[in-house]
Amino acid sequence: MQRDSFPDFSNGPRLLADIGGTNARFGLETAPKRIEAIWTADCATYPTLGAALVHYLAQPATVAAGGYQARLAGIAIANPIDGDWVRMTNHHWSFSIEAVCSQFSLKSLVVVNDFTALASALPHLDASHMRQIGGGTARAGEVVGLVGAGTGLGVSGLVPAGERWIALDSEGGHSTFAPMSEREIDILRYARRFHEHVSSERLVSGIGLGLVYRALAERGRVEAEHLGAPEIVERGLRGNCPLCVETLETFCEMLGTVAGNVALTLGAKGGVYIGGGIVPRMGDFFARSGFRARFEQKGRFSDYLAHIATFVITDDYPALIGMAAMLSAE
């Protein structure tokens, strides 16, 4: 993978992408910290990443912003990156980095895990881009944790290194799920019928909401409907489906356990940030949920966690901001 250095914008705008298991977001950085022509695509609509990029570059706003002149690009994508061949964990797209460079005449293409890019955005977000949940104080210059639920479950963090930050390349969402209540033990038993290894992502994610919903239906001896994650979230937030409400409440508590584990593992005294597509949509429901209580529920280390702040990232395109920051640091 070629990673040349382009300190300015003489090679045209920089092509940015944030690709998740459901949606892909594209943008052009036309000047430092100025991202234009943002476009969101449903990944299922396009057979390949290349097809989605072709469609994006043909958009009138992209053409007007000089998208075809881009020679430096950065892609944040929801899967591990190891070598030239990239295969998504929760979607069928796969591609060769070198082939994408060739197809779009790129001089350099940087591909990173999407949560590595999201972590890189955190130093560039201000108070208007986040909402604090519960107490605690974020200490300046300390390690920062990051957790986020979208289609899957992402984990990362930032480690201070002098005047800069190092973003962690983590697959912590695939660590083994740890139940903290009788309800969650029953959910785990149900999930083990279908998965030999039940990771946190199997339950605390968009792909996991349906599994949790069905497990709770069986536990409560009620009939489950054929609902996808968007319908479960919508009905739960409206409050007109008790089973969907219970599913969201359970999701928030389980996410609190995961976030607390990340805080302890990293020593994240700089705070733990919650990203992804699900939680920002939940608004006050999440703020009122058992997330923060569960975050702190760590026995002898409950007081330790009570002093660590937790925030929901509310910016619409934070991973694009992070990807731009990573390109500027190349």
Side-chain angles (χ1 to χ4, degrees):
M1 175 172 54
Q2 189 177 1
R3 295 172 68 130
D4 296 335
S5 177
F6 298 92
D8 55 34
F9 287 79
S10 59
N11 286 274
R14 297 173 177 181
L15 175 62
L16 309 173
D18 168 27
I19 302 172
T22 301
N23 295 311
R25 300 163 185 86
F26 301 91
L28 291 175
E29 187 183 20
T30 57
K33 299 183 179 180
R34 188 171 74 204
I35 302 175
E36 303 180 50
I38 295 176
W39 178 66
T40 300
D42 180 351
C43 292
T45 303
Y46 300 90
T48 64
L49 167 64
L53 276 170
V54 166
H55 192 95
Y56 171 65
L57 291 171
Q59 297 286 313
T62 312
V63 174
Y68 279 109
Q69 301 171 23
R71 294 296 174 263
L72 174 62
I75 294 176
I77 190 165
N79 51 266
I81 309 300
D82 185 14
D84 176 70
W85 189 256
V86 179
R87 184 183 301 277
M88 294 187 68
T89 304
N90 293 316
H91 187 61
H92 69 265
W93 283 359
S94 59
F95 59 92
S96 158
I97 296 172
E98 291 294 342
V100 172
C101 278
S102 177
Q103 181 181 358
F104 295 97
S105 301
L106 300 173
K107 294 183 178 179
S108 183
L109 171 59
V110 178
V111 183
V112 300
N113 178 269
D114 60 337
F115 267 70
T116 303
L118 183 54
S120 298
L122 297 180
H124 304 280
L125 302 180
D126 59 34
S128 66
H129 296 143
M130 62 192 70
R131 177 183 184 181
Q132 184 165 357
I133 305 296
T137 302
R139 298 187 189 180
E142 295 282 356
V143 172
V144 173
L146 173 65
V147 177
T151 302
L153 179 67
V155 173
S156 185
L158 287 175
V159 178
E163 296 183 356
R164 55 189 290 266
W165 294 92
I166 297 174
L168 301 179
D169 185 8
S170 169
E171 290 296 332
H174 299 284
S175 59
T176 304
F177 172 72
M180 285 288 291
S181 67
E182 291 299 322
R183 177 166 65 185
E184 291 171 17
I185 289 171
D186 289 342
I187 292 171
L188 175 60
R189 288 196 181 104
Y190 181 88
R192 282 177 59 86
R193 297 183 204 166
F194 309 97
H195 303 290
E196 179 183 0
H197 174 241
V198 181
S199 66
S200 294
E201 179 176 276
R202 290 292 189 190
L203 301 173
V204 192
S205 65
I207 60 175
L209 280 173
L211 185 59
V212 173
Y213 169 81
R214 293 188 297 274
L216 292 176
E218 180 174 282
R219 185 175 191 265
R221 298 179 181 177
V222 299
E223 184 175 355
E225 299 182 53
H226 295 288
L227 302 179
E231 292 80 14
I232 292 170
V233 173
E234 180 184 359
R235 292 189 184 190
L237 294 180
R238 285 207 310 254
N240 59 358
C241 171
L243 184 57
C244 292
V245 172
E246 185 182 10
T247 300
L248 293 192
E249 289 173 344
T250 304
F251 166 88
C252 293
E253 291 174 1
M254 293 189 299
L255 183 62
T257 294
V258 174
N261 288 343
V262 169
L264 286 177
T265 301
L266 298 182
K269 296 177 183 177
V272 174
Y273 290 77
I274 309 299
I278 296 177
V279 170
R281 293 172 53 195
M282 297 175 72
D284 289 339
F285 184 101
F286 187 76
R288 296 190 304 266
S289 75
F291 165 81
R292 180 68 197 194
R294 181 64 71 80
F295 175 83
E296 297 180 12
Q297 189 181 339
K298 297 293 186 189
R300 294 176 296 168
F301 273 75
S302 293
D303 184 65
Y304 178 94
L305 287 165
H307 289 85
I308 294 179
T310 50
F311 304 90
V312 174
I313 301 169
T314 57
D315 186 88
D316 290 333
Y317 307 103
L320 296 183
I321 294 172
M323 193 68 252
M326 294 187 75
L327 293 183
S328 294
E330 283 291 312

